[in-house]
Amino acid sequence: MNAHARERLNDDFSNPVRLSLMGSLQAVDEADFKSLKEAIGISDSVLSRHLSALEAGGYVQIKKGYVGKRPRTWAKLTSAGQEAFAQHVQALKEITGLG
Amino acid sequence: MSSGKKMSPEEQLAALGLAQQGMQRAAGYGAKLLGTYCIILGVLMGGLAALLQVFRPDADFIGFIVIMALFCVSVAAMSLAYGKLYRSLPRGHSKMYLRGFIASMVLYAVAVALLGAGPMGWGAIALIWIIVAAPLFLTGIAMVRK
């Protein structure tokens, strides 16, 4: 059972920042760059790099727009991202005996 | 994707819990604020729907116009507030709000249509207030309590 769960772990989420990003985005419909940065406590450049990587993997959708004249960036989980992350979390719970 | 530092499953679950707590704290504030606005708008919309039966267009046209204008202003204010807050709401709260908002709007329209049925008693007017206010009011209560 544990061997199966370990195989279902997704390496893309084993990085602490990406795991935190996916977990944060799972809690909301979407989040702006600033809220994510404050919730996770990382710098702009680190957040930007990891968000881009998650977007490239198809887990996160990034939208750019304006609020007034200020440029803003928003991120949300794609349905594939939601599914992949839910499987990852379930596998983690099974491995640690919580699932 | 490069993965960088890897964590054990236990560490991953602990880090996940911390990250979600931080986000939920921020989103919880937005939910409470929007929930409070929903309660206020629900009571206001119900009250205006009830007042329509008192200030009927055939009896007091100016009163009727004032009530309709107040309704438009309150809906516009609520839409602006939602526009500012919807990106910082917990998952599912946007849909919850829209369902309550649309239901109260539809019921308000029904209250306007009931003007054609003639004057009503105070009991029926109070009932209109409660029914029109209920969807947004209950949505607001649910958001604030969550």
Side-chain angles (χ1 to χ4, degrees), chain B residues 83-132:
Chain B
K84 286 216 176 250
L85 289 170
Y86 85 98
R87 285 194 164 107
S88 53
L89 293 175
R91 185 168 291 279
H93 275 53
S94 265
K95 272 186 193 163
M96 196 197 292
Y97 161 76
L98 288 172
R99 274 199 295 263
F101 182 72
I102 290 168
S104 273
M105 291 286 280
V106 168
L107 289 168
Y108 186 88
V110 171
V112 173
L114 281 175
L115 286 171
M120 291 183 179
W122 289 106
I125 291 174
L127 197 61
I128 285 175
W129 187 332
I130 292 167
I131 289 173
V132 173

mmCIF file of all heavy atoms in Angstrom, chain B residues 83-132:
data_model
loop_
_atom_site.group_PDB
_atom_site.id
_atom_site.type_symbol
_atom_site.label_atom_id
_atom_site.label_comp_id
_atom_site.label_asym_id
_atom_site.label_seq_id
_atom_site.Cartn_x
_atom_site.Cartn_y
_atom_site.Cartn_z
ATOM 1 N N GLY B 83 -16.216 43.326 -6.623
ATOM 2 C CA GLY B 83 -15.126 43.466 -7.596
ATOM 3 C C GLY B 83 -13.777 43.639 -6.928
ATOM 4 O O GLY B 83 -12.757 43.155 -7.412
ATOM 5 N N LYS B 84 -13.771 44.294 -5.774
ATOM 6 C CA LYS B 84 -12.507 44.503 -5.051
ATOM 7 C C LYS B 84 -12.107 43.256 -4.265
ATOM 8 O O LYS B 84 -10.931 43.006 -4.044
ATOM 9 C CB LYS B 84 -12.650 45.674 -4.073
ATOM 10 C CG LYS B 84 -12.666 47.023 -4.766
ATOM 11 C CD LYS B 84 -11.959 48.063 -3.923
ATOM 12 C CE LYS B 84 -11.893 49.382 -4.665
ATOM 13 N NZ LYS B 84 -10.569 49.710 -5.089
ATOM 14 N N LEU B 85 -13.128 42.495 -3.799
ATOM 15 C CA LEU B 85 -12.832 41.410 -2.861
ATOM 16 C C LEU B 85 -12.767 40.015 -3.479
ATOM 17 O O LEU B 85 -12.215 39.106 -2.876
ATOM 18 C CB LEU B 85 -13.907 41.383 -1.755
ATOM 19 C CG LEU B 85 -13.863 42.523 -0.755
ATOM 20 C CD1 LEU B 85 -15.107 42.509 0.117
ATOM 21 C CD2 LEU B 85 -12.629 42.392 0.132
ATOM 22 N N TYR B 86 -13.328 39.832 -4.687
ATOM 23 C CA TYR B 86 -13.535 38.459 -5.137
ATOM 24 C C TYR B 86 -12.241 37.679 -5.359
ATOM 25 O O TYR B 86 -12.227 36.454 -5.329
ATOM 26 C CB TYR B 86 -14.425 38.412 -6.388
ATOM 27 C CG TYR B 86 -13.710 38.600 -7.709
ATOM 28 C CD1 TYR B 86 -13.356 37.492 -8.485
ATOM 29 C CD2 TYR B 86 -13.410 39.861 -8.193
ATOM 30 C CE1 TYR B 86 -12.721 37.661 -9.698
ATOM 31 C CE2 TYR B 86 -12.775 40.029 -9.396
ATOM 32 C CZ TYR B 86 -12.432 38.938 -10.146
ATOM 33 O OH TYR B 86 -11.790 39.095 -11.340
ATOM 34 N N ARG B 87 -11.146 38.393 -5.523
ATOM 35 C CA ARG B 87 -9.887 37.681 -5.743
ATOM 36 C C ARG B 87 -9.224 37.259 -4.433
ATOM 37 O O ARG B 87 -8.205 36.593 -4.451
ATOM 38 C CB ARG B 87 -8.933 38.537 -6.566
ATOM 39 C CG ARG B 87 -9.335 38.574 -8.018
ATOM 40 C CD ARG B 87 -8.238 39.129 -8.876
ATOM 41 N NE ARG B 87 -8.476 38.827 -10.257
ATOM 42 C CZ ARG B 87 -8.858 39.723 -11.167
ATOM 43 N NH1 ARG B 87 -9.046 40.962 -10.826
ATOM 44 N NH2 ARG B 87 -9.045 39.356 -12.419
ATOM 45 N N SER B 88 -9.789 37.677 -3.320
ATOM 46 C CA SER B 88 -9.185 37.256 -2.053
ATOM 47 C C SER B 88 -10.204 36.517 -1.198
ATOM 48 O O SER B 88 -10.267 36.710 0.000
ATOM 49 C CB SER B 88 -8.626 38.473 -1.307
ATOM 50 O OG SER B 88 -9.618 39.449 -1.169
ATOM 51 N N LEU B 89 -11.002 35.691 -1.861
ATOM 52 C CA LEU B 89 -12.005 34.922 -1.126
ATOM 53 C C LEU B 89 -11.600 33.448 -1.070
ATOM 54 O O LEU B 89 -10.950 32.957 -1.989
ATOM 55 C CB LEU B 89 -13.367 35.023 -1.827
ATOM 56 C CG LEU B 89 -14.033 36.392 -1.833
ATOM 57 C CD1 LEU B 89 -15.305 36.345 -2.676
ATOM 58 C CD2 LEU B 89 -14.358 36.842 -0.419
ATOM 59 N N PRO B 90 -12.015 32.747 0.007
ATOM 60 C CA PRO B 90 -11.747 31.310 0.043
ATOM 61 C C PRO B 90 -12.444 30.606 -1.117
ATOM 62 O O PRO B 90 -13.439 31.121 -1.646
ATOM 63 C CB PRO B 90 -12.355 30.868 1.382
ATOM 64 C CG PRO B 90 -12.478 32.106 2.185
ATOM 65 C CD PRO B 90 -12.685 33.220 1.215
ATOM 66 N N ARG B 91 -11.922 29.437 -1.488
ATOM 67 C CA ARG B 91 -12.482 28.688 -2.609
ATOM 68 C C ARG B 91 -13.986 28.454 -2.424
ATOM 69 O O ARG B 91 -14.430 28.056 -1.355
ATOM 70 C CB ARG B 91 -11.764 27.339 -2.719
ATOM 71 C CG ARG B 91 -12.161 26.504 -3.910
ATOM 72 C CD ARG B 91 -11.210 25.343 -4.090
ATOM 73 N NE ARG B 91 -9.889 25.797 -4.502
ATOM 74 C CZ ARG B 91 -9.555 26.115 -5.769
ATOM 75 N NH1 ARG B 91 -10.449 26.023 -6.724
ATOM 76 N NH2 ARG B 91 -8.347 26.519 -6.055
ATOM 77 N N GLY B 92 -14.761 28.741 -3.459
ATOM 78 C CA GLY B 92 -16.199 28.478 -3.427
ATOM 79 C C GLY B 92 -17.042 29.660 -2.968
ATOM 80 O O GLY B 92 -18.259 29.672 -3.156
ATOM 81 N N HIS B 93 -16.415 30.666 -2.335
ATOM 82 C CA HIS B 93 -17.195 31.780 -1.799
ATOM 83 C C HIS B 93 -17.760 32.684 -2.897
ATOM 84 O O HIS B 93 -18.809 33.296 -2.712
ATOM 85 C CB HIS B 93 -16.355 32.603 -0.815
ATOM 86 C CG HIS B 93 -16.365 32.044 0.563
ATOM 87 N ND1 HIS B 93 -16.040 30.734 0.836
ATOM 88 C CD2 HIS B 93 -16.687 32.598 1.762
ATOM 89 C CE1 HIS B 93 -16.161 30.528 2.128
ATOM 90 N NE2 HIS B 93 -16.542 31.637 2.717
ATOM 91 N N SER B 94 -17.051 32.785 -4.008
ATOM 92 C CA SER B 94 -17.554 33.610 -5.115
ATOM 93 C C SER B 94 -18.883 33.058 -5.627
ATOM 94 O O SER B 94 -19.842 33.802 -5.833
ATOM 95 C CB SER B 94 -16.546 33.618 -6.273
ATOM 96 O OG SER B 94 -15.723 34.739 -6.175
ATOM 97 N N LYS B 95 -18.906 31.746 -5.830
ATOM 98 C CA LYS B 95 -20.140 31.104 -6.319
ATOM 99 C C LYS B 95 -21.261 31.275 -5.300
ATOM 100 O O LYS B 95 -22.404 31.540 -5.656
ATOM 101 C CB LYS B 95 -19.899 29.604 -6.561
ATOM 102 C CG LYS B 95 -19.378 29.292 -7.946
ATOM 103 C CD LYS B 95 -19.311 27.798 -8.160
ATOM 104 C CE LYS B 95 -18.483 27.532 -9.410
ATOM 105 N NZ LYS B 95 -18.036 26.148 -9.484
ATOM 106 N N MET B 96 -20.902 31.118 -4.033
ATOM 107 C CA MET B 96 -21.900 31.238 -2.961
ATOM 108 C C MET B 96 -22.516 32.644 -2.995
ATOM 109 O O MET B 96 -23.727 32.813 -2.918
ATOM 110 C CB MET B 96 -21.210 31.001 -1.609
ATOM 111 C CG MET B 96 -22.140 30.721 -0.462
ATOM 112 S SD MET B 96 -21.337 30.929 1.139
ATOM 113 C CE MET B 96 -20.194 29.621 1.169
ATOM 114 N N TYR B 97 -21.659 33.655 -3.129
ATOM 115 C CA TYR B 97 -22.127 35.039 -3.163
ATOM 116 C C TYR B 97 -23.037 35.263 -4.380
ATOM 117 O O TYR B 97 -24.121 35.838 -4.259
ATOM 118 C CB TYR B 97 -20.940 36.007 -3.214
ATOM 119 C CG TYR B 97 -21.333 37.387 -3.705
ATOM 120 C CD1 TYR B 97 -22.016 38.269 -2.868
ATOM 121 C CD2 TYR B 97 -21.075 37.786 -5.016
ATOM 122 C CE1 TYR B 97 -22.422 39.509 -3.325
ATOM 123 C CE2 TYR B 97 -21.466 39.027 -5.474
ATOM 124 C CZ TYR B 97 -22.142 39.887 -4.626
ATOM 125 O OH TYR B 97 -22.548 41.109 -5.095
ATOM 126 N N LEU B 98 -22.579 34.809 -5.557
ATOM 127 C CA LEU B 98 -23.347 35.064 -6.779
ATOM 128 C C LEU B 98 -24.724 34.407 -6.715
ATOM 129 O O LEU B 98 -25.715 34.984 -7.173
ATOM 130 C CB LEU B 98 -22.567 34.570 -8.010
ATOM 131 C CG LEU B 98 -21.360 35.450 -8.359
ATOM 132 C CD1 LEU B 98 -20.516 34.812 -9.451
ATOM 133 C CD2 LEU B 98 -21.797 36.851 -8.782
ATOM 134 N N ARG B 99 -24.789 33.200 -6.137
ATOM 135 C CA ARG B 99 -26.085 32.524 -5.997
ATOM 136 C C ARG B 99 -27.027 33.345 -5.117
ATOM 137 O O ARG B 99 -28.191 33.576 -5.464
ATOM 138 C CB ARG B 99 -25.901 31.124 -5.398
ATOM 139 C CG ARG B 99 -25.606 30.063 -6.446
ATOM 140 C CD ARG B 99 -25.896 28.679 -5.895
ATOM 141 N NE ARG B 99 -24.994 28.338 -4.796
ATOM 142 C CZ ARG B 99 -23.897 27.613 -4.942
ATOM 143 N NH1 ARG B 99 -23.575 27.142 -6.122
ATOM 144 N NH2 ARG B 99 -23.141 27.330 -3.920
ATOM 145 N N GLY B 100 -26.522 33.818 -3.980
ATOM 146 C CA GLY B 100 -27.351 34.610 -3.067
ATOM 147 C C GLY B 100 -27.765 35.927 -3.695
ATOM 148 O O GLY B 100 -28.920 36.353 -3.582
ATOM 149 N N PHE B 101 -26.822 36.562 -4.375
ATOM 150 C CA PHE B 101 -27.091 37.864 -5.002
ATOM 151 C C PHE B 101 -28.161 37.729 -6.091
ATOM 152 O O PHE B 101 -29.142 38.488 -6.120
ATOM 153 C CB PHE B 101 -25.788 38.406 -5.592
ATOM 154 C CG PHE B 101 -25.907 39.764 -6.229
ATOM 155 C CD1 PHE B 101 -26.081 40.899 -5.448
ATOM 156 C CD2 PHE B 101 -25.858 39.901 -7.608
ATOM 157 C CE1 PHE B 101 -26.197 42.153 -6.032
ATOM 158 C CE2 PHE B 101 -25.971 41.149 -8.200
ATOM 159 C CZ PHE B 101 -26.141 42.286 -7.415
ATOM 160 N N ILE B 102 -27.990 36.735 -6.962
ATOM 161 C CA ILE B 102 -28.950 36.556 -8.066
ATOM 162 C C ILE B 102 -30.333 36.200 -7.515
ATOM 163 O O ILE B 102 -31.349 36.725 -7.973
ATOM 164 C CB ILE B 102 -28.437 35.495 -9.063
ATOM 165 C CG1 ILE B 102 -27.232 36.057 -9.827
ATOM 166 C CG2 ILE B 102 -29.529 35.080 -10.053
ATOM 167 C CD1 ILE B 102 -26.455 35.047 -10.636
ATOM 168 N N ALA B 103 -30.356 35.322 -6.486
ATOM 169 C CA ALA B 103 -31.653 34.929 -5.907
ATOM 170 C C ALA B 103 -32.370 36.152 -5.331
ATOM 171 O O ALA B 103 -33.577 36.338 -5.557
ATOM 172 C CB ALA B 103 -31.441 33.874 -4.819
ATOM 173 N N SER B 104 -31.642 37.005 -4.596
ATOM 174 C CA SER B 104 -32.284 38.189 -4.022
ATOM 175 C C SER B 104 -32.729 39.161 -5.119
ATOM 176 O O SER B 104 -33.791 39.789 -5.004
ATOM 177 C CB SER B 104 -31.328 38.900 -3.046
ATOM 178 O OG SER B 104 -31.439 38.339 -1.756
ATOM 179 N N MET B 105 -31.944 39.272 -6.193
ATOM 180 C CA MET B 105 -32.320 40.157 -7.310
ATOM 181 C C MET B 105 -33.612 39.659 -7.969
ATOM 182 O O MET B 105 -34.514 40.446 -8.289
ATOM 183 C CB MET B 105 -31.205 40.193 -8.370
ATOM 184 C CG MET B 105 -29.947 40.884 -7.921
ATOM 185 S SD MET B 105 -30.105 42.660 -7.861
ATOM 186 C CE MET B 105 -29.893 43.041 -9.578
ATOM 187 N N VAL B 106 -33.679 38.340 -8.187
ATOM 188 C CA VAL B 106 -34.871 37.759 -8.825
ATOM 189 C C VAL B 106 -36.096 37.997 -7.931
ATOM 190 O O VAL B 106 -37.171 38.400 -8.401
ATOM 191 C CB VAL B 106 -34.663 36.248 -9.099
ATOM 192 C CG1 VAL B 106 -35.970 35.570 -9.476
ATOM 193 C CG2 VAL B 106 -33.630 36.047 -10.208
ATOM 194 N N LEU B 107 -35.918 37.770 -6.630
ATOM 195 C CA LEU B 107 -37.037 37.962 -5.702
ATOM 196 C C LEU B 107 -37.449 39.436 -5.628
ATOM 197 O O LEU B 107 -38.632 39.752 -5.468
ATOM 198 C CB LEU B 107 -36.668 37.430 -4.308
ATOM 199 C CG LEU B 107 -36.590 35.899 -4.237
ATOM 200 C CD1 LEU B 107 -35.950 35.445 -2.935
ATOM 201 C CD2 LEU B 107 -37.976 35.274 -4.384
ATOM 202 N N TYR B 108 -36.478 40.339 -5.763
ATOM 203 C CA TYR B 108 -36.814 41.772 -5.794
ATOM 204 C C TYR B 108 -37.667 42.073 -7.033
ATOM 205 O O TYR B 108 -38.652 42.801 -6.959
ATOM 206 C CB TYR B 108 -35.532 42.605 -5.811
ATOM 207 C CG TYR B 108 -35.774 44.094 -5.694
ATOM 208 C CD1 TYR B 108 -35.870 44.709 -4.448
ATOM 209 C CD2 TYR B 108 -35.939 44.889 -6.832
ATOM 210 C CE1 TYR B 108 -36.117 46.072 -4.332
ATOM 211 C CE2 TYR B 108 -36.183 46.254 -6.725
ATOM 212 C CZ TYR B 108 -36.268 46.836 -5.478
ATOM 213 O OH TYR B 108 -36.510 48.179 -5.370
ATOM 214 N N ALA B 109 -37.257 41.461 -8.174
ATOM 215 C CA ALA B 109 -38.025 41.658 -9.411
ATOM 216 C C ALA B 109 -39.447 41.123 -9.249
ATOM 217 O O ALA B 109 -40.417 41.734 -9.733
ATOM 218 C CB ALA B 109 -37.325 40.970 -10.574
ATOM 219 N N VAL B 110 -39.583 39.997 -8.539
ATOM 220 C CA VAL B 110 -40.923 39.442 -8.279
ATOM 221 C C VAL B 110 -41.726 40.424 -7.424
ATOM 222 O O VAL B 110 -42.927 40.652 -7.670
ATOM 223 C CB VAL B 110 -40.819 38.060 -7.584
ATOM 224 C CG1 VAL B 110 -42.187 37.579 -7.107
ATOM 225 C CG2 VAL B 110 -40.196 37.040 -8.528
ATOM 226 N N ALA B 111 -41.046 41.032 -6.427
ATOM 227 C CA ALA B 111 -41.730 42.014 -5.569
ATOM 228 C C ALA B 111 -42.212 43.204 -6.400
ATOM 229 O O ALA B 111 -43.305 43.736 -6.159
ATOM 230 C CB ALA B 111 -40.795 42.487 -4.450
ATOM 231 N N VAL B 112 -41.405 43.623 -7.385
ATOM 232 C CA VAL B 112 -41.826 44.725 -8.271
ATOM 233 C C VAL B 112 -43.035 44.289 -9.089
ATOM 234 O O VAL B 112 -44.017 45.037 -9.246
ATOM 235 C CB VAL B 112 -40.660 45.157 -9.198
ATOM 236 C CG1 VAL B 112 -41.140 46.176 -10.223
ATOM 237 C CG2 VAL B 112 -39.517 45.753 -8.376
ATOM 238 N N ALA B 113 -42.980 43.040 -9.585
ATOM 239 C CA ALA B 113 -44.098 42.538 -10.389
ATOM 240 C C ALA B 113 -45.388 42.450 -9.565
ATOM 241 O O ALA B 113 -46.490 42.636 -10.101
ATOM 242 C CB ALA B 113 -43.743 41.164 -10.961
ATOM 243 N N LEU B 114 -45.245 42.213 -8.260
ATOM 244 C CA LEU B 114 -46.425 42.090 -7.387
ATOM 245 C C LEU B 114 -47.150 43.425 -7.195
ATOM 246 O O LEU B 114 -48.275 43.449 -6.685
ATOM 247 C CB LEU B 114 -46.009 41.534 -6.018
ATOM 248 C CG LEU B 114 -45.775 40.019 -5.963
ATOM 249 C CD1 LEU B 114 -45.258 39.617 -4.593
ATOM 250 C CD2 LEU B 114 -47.063 39.260 -6.292
ATOM 251 N N LEU B 115 -46.502 44.531 -7.592
ATOM 252 C CA LEU B 115 -47.166 45.842 -7.489
ATOM 253 C C LEU B 115 -48.463 45.852 -8.289
ATOM 254 O O LEU B 115 -49.423 46.553 -7.950
ATOM 255 C CB LEU B 115 -46.236 46.948 -8.010
ATOM 256 C CG LEU B 115 -45.054 47.322 -7.099
ATOM 257 C CD1 LEU B 115 -44.098 48.255 -7.826
ATOM 258 C CD2 LEU B 115 -45.553 47.967 -5.820
ATOM 259 N N GLY B 116 -48.473 45.052 -9.370
ATOM 260 C CA GLY B 116 -49.666 44.988 -10.222
ATOM 261 C C GLY B 116 -50.840 44.293 -9.546
ATOM 262 O O GLY B 116 -51.980 44.392 -10.026
ATOM 263 N N ALA B 117 -50.564 43.573 -8.448
ATOM 264 C CA ALA B 117 -51.627 42.819 -7.774
ATOM 265 C C ALA B 117 -52.443 43.686 -6.816
ATOM 266 O O ALA B 117 -53.352 43.189 -6.157
ATOM 267 C CB ALA B 117 -51.006 41.648 -7.015
ATOM 268 N N GLY B 118 -52.086 44.971 -6.705
ATOM 269 C CA GLY B 118 -52.845 45.858 -5.821
ATOM 270 C C GLY B 118 -52.234 45.966 -4.437
ATOM 271 O O GLY B 118 -51.277 45.254 -4.126
ATOM 272 N N PRO B 119 -52.782 46.885 -3.601
ATOM 273 C CA PRO B 119 -52.227 47.119 -2.257
ATOM 274 C C PRO B 119 -52.240 45.847 -1.398
ATOM 275 O O PRO B 119 -53.109 44.987 -1.553
ATOM 276 C CB PRO B 119 -53.161 48.179 -1.667
ATOM 277 C CG PRO B 119 -53.824 48.812 -2.840
ATOM 278 C CD PRO B 119 -53.934 47.751 -3.889
ATOM 279 N N MET B 120 -51.249 45.761 -0.507
ATOM 280 C CA MET B 120 -51.129 44.575 0.355
ATOM 281 C C MET B 120 -51.209 44.980 1.820
ATOM 282 O O MET B 120 -50.932 46.114 2.170
ATOM 283 C CB MET B 120 -49.773 43.902 0.116
ATOM 284 C CG MET B 120 -49.656 43.258 -1.231
ATOM 285 S SD MET B 120 -48.072 42.447 -1.361
ATOM 286 C CE MET B 120 -48.224 41.775 -2.999
ATOM 287 N N GLY B 121 -51.490 44.001 2.658
ATOM 288 C CA GLY B 121 -51.520 44.227 4.107
ATOM 289 C C GLY B 121 -50.107 44.252 4.677
ATOM 290 O O GLY B 121 -49.154 43.837 4.006
ATOM 291 N N TRP B 122 -49.987 44.707 5.947
ATOM 292 C CA TRP B 122 -48.662 44.804 6.576
ATOM 293 C C TRP B 122 -48.000 43.434 6.731
ATOM 294 O O TRP B 122 -46.773 43.319 6.647
ATOM 295 C CB TRP B 122 -48.768 45.505 7.932
ATOM 296 C CG TRP B 122 -49.057 46.971 7.758
ATOM 297 C CD1 TRP B 122 -50.241 47.606 7.986
ATOM 298 C CD2 TRP B 122 -48.153 47.981 7.276
ATOM 299 N NE1 TRP B 122 -50.147 48.941 7.680
ATOM 300 C CE2 TRP B 122 -48.864 49.204 7.240
ATOM 301 C CE3 TRP B 122 -46.837 47.974 6.872
ATOM 302 C CZ2 TRP B 122 -48.303 50.402 6.815
ATOM 303 C CZ3 TRP B 122 -46.252 49.161 6.453
ATOM 304 C CH2 TRP B 122 -46.993 50.354 6.425
ATOM 305 N N GLY B 123 -48.798 42.419 6.942
ATOM 306 C CA GLY B 123 -48.244 41.060 7.079
ATOM 307 C C GLY B 123 -47.551 40.624 5.793
ATOM 308 O O GLY B 123 -46.427 40.100 5.824
ATOM 309 N N ALA B 124 -48.226 40.869 4.661
ATOM 310 C CA ALA B 124 -47.661 40.488 3.366
ATOM 311 C C ALA B 124 -46.405 41.314 3.067
ATOM 312 O O ALA B 124 -45.413 40.794 2.516
ATOM 313 C CB ALA B 124 -48.705 40.695 2.269
ATOM 314 N N ILE B 125 -46.441 42.600 3.462
ATOM 315 C CA ILE B 125 -45.273 43.471 3.230
ATOM 316 C C ILE B 125 -44.066 42.965 4.039
ATOM 317 O O ILE B 125 -42.940 42.892 3.521
ATOM 318 C CB ILE B 125 -45.610 44.934 3.591
ATOM 319 C CG1 ILE B 125 -46.608 45.479 2.560
ATOM 320 C CG2 ILE B 125 -44.360 45.800 3.646
ATOM 321 C CD1 ILE B 125 -47.152 46.860 2.866
ATOM 322 N N ALA B 126 -44.340 42.577 5.300
ATOM 323 C CA ALA B 126 -43.247 42.048 6.141
ATOM 324 C C ALA B 126 -42.708 40.754 5.540
ATOM 325 O O ALA B 126 -41.488 40.500 5.543
ATOM 326 C CB ALA B 126 -43.761 41.813 7.560
ATOM 327 N N LEU B 127 -43.596 39.942 5.000
ATOM 328 C CA LEU B 127 -43.190 38.675 4.380
ATOM 329 C C LEU B 127 -42.295 38.930 3.156
ATOM 330 O O LEU B 127 -41.285 38.241 2.942
ATOM 331 C CB LEU B 127 -44.438 37.886 3.973
ATOM 332 C CG LEU B 127 -44.234 36.401 3.690
ATOM 333 C CD1 LEU B 127 -43.718 35.673 4.921
ATOM 334 C CD2 LEU B 127 -45.523 35.764 3.195
ATOM 335 N N ILE B 128 -42.661 39.949 2.376
ATOM 336 C CA ILE B 128 -41.844 40.314 1.203
ATOM 337 C C ILE B 128 -40.442 40.716 1.659
ATOM 338 O O ILE B 128 -39.436 40.296 1.088
ATOM 339 C CB ILE B 128 -42.523 41.454 0.404
ATOM 340 C CG1 ILE B 128 -43.717 40.890 -0.376
ATOM 341 C CG2 ILE B 128 -41.530 42.126 -0.548
ATOM 342 C CD1 ILE B 128 -44.532 41.927 -1.102
ATOM 343 N N TRP B 129 -40.365 41.515 2.724
ATOM 344 C CA TRP B 129 -39.058 41.927 3.266
ATOM 345 C C TRP B 129 -38.203 40.693 3.589
ATOM 346 O O TRP B 129 -37.068 40.564 3.141
ATOM 347 C CB TRP B 129 -39.283 42.771 4.532
ATOM 348 C CG TRP B 129 -38.028 43.401 5.093
ATOM 349 C CD1 TRP B 129 -36.747 42.934 4.980
ATOM 350 C CD2 TRP B 129 -37.938 44.622 5.827
ATOM 351 N NE1 TRP B 129 -35.884 43.781 5.609
ATOM 352 C CE2 TRP B 129 -36.580 44.828 6.144
ATOM 353 C CE3 TRP B 129 -38.884 45.545 6.275
ATOM 354 C CZ2 TRP B 129 -36.141 45.930 6.872
ATOM 355 C CZ3 TRP B 129 -38.435 46.651 7.004
ATOM 356 C CH2 TRP B 129 -37.092 46.838 7.297
ATOM 357 N N ILE B 130 -38.810 39.770 4.327
ATOM 358 C CA ILE B 130 -38.058 38.588 4.775
ATOM 359 C C ILE B 130 -37.621 37.728 3.578
ATOM 360 O O ILE B 130 -36.465 37.303 3.488
ATOM 361 C CB ILE B 130 -38.917 37.751 5.761
ATOM 362 C CG1 ILE B 130 -39.103 38.538 7.069
ATOM 363 C CG2 ILE B 130 -38.282 36.403 6.036
ATOM 364 C CD1 ILE B 130 -40.166 37.981 7.983
ATOM 365 N N ILE B 131 -38.551 37.504 2.646
ATOM 366 C CA ILE B 131 -38.256 36.598 1.525
ATOM 367 C C ILE B 131 -37.176 37.193 0.606
ATOM 368 O O ILE B 131 -36.264 36.488 0.176
ATOM 369 C CB ILE B 131 -39.544 36.268 0.739
ATOM 370 C CG1 ILE B 131 -40.430 35.366 1.596
ATOM 371 C CG2 ILE B 131 -39.217 35.582 -0.583
ATOM 372 C CD1 ILE B 131 -41.802 35.102 1.001
ATOM 373 N N VAL B 132 -37.272 38.487 0.316
ATOM 374 C CA VAL B 132 -36.278 39.111 -0.579
ATOM 375 C C VAL B 132 -34.911 39.173 0.114
ATOM 376 O O VAL B 132 -33.868 38.942 -0.516
ATOM 377 C CB VAL B 132 -36.737 40.529 -1.018
ATOM 378 C CG1 VAL B 132 -35.632 41.234 -1.801
ATOM 379 C CG2 VAL B 132 -37.992 40.422 -1.887
#
